[in-house]
Structures are given as C-alpha cells and as structure tokens.
Amino acid sequence: MRLTIDVIAVSFENRQFPIYSGYDEMLRIFYGDYMKLPPIKERVCKHNPVKIKF
C-alpha cells in the first residue's frame, strides 16, 4: 500500500514553501483551536532562556 500526501505551496515573507495540504486538520488535532490566543496567565515561555551580558 502506498500513502499519497498532497503538498501545496504557501507564501510566507515573499517566499514559497511546500506544506502538507491537511495542515489545518493536523494542527487542530495536536493543538485544538490553534488560531486563538491563550489567556494572558498561560502565555509563558516554556524554554530556559539565557541572558548574555557583553
């Protein structure tokens, strides 16, 4: 059995990028309503940034 994945070209910052045509469905499965900002108290950095002094 062969899986076929459709790819579309999307423009971003004056360049074209190939992406999976089902990106919206995939993002909704992983993140829910990914287009809605979370509440302010949940908008936190989940990384460990390091400040470098020069």
Side-chain angles (χ1 to χ4, degrees):
M1 183 171 149
R2 191 172 194 134
L3 178 64
T4 302
I5 298 175
D6 294 326
V7 175
I8 59 174
V10 175
S11 196
F12 179 74
E13 295 190 354
N14 299 319
R15 294 187 67 189
Q16 293 286 316
F17 295 92
I19 65 168
Y20 169 57
S21 64
Y23 69 91
D24 184 67
E25 180 183 2
M26 182 182 71
L27 289 171
R28 290 187 188 281
I29 290 169
F30 284 108
Y31 303 110
D33 188 2
Y34 68 94
M35 295 298 285
K36 182 179 175 186
L37 286 172
I40 291 176
K41 65 181 181 179
E42 292 180 19
R43 296 180 203 173
V44 296
C45 180
K46 297 177 182 172
H47 304 283
N48 295 317
V50 176
K51 290 186 180 181
I52 301 173
K53 290 176 81 174
F54 291 96

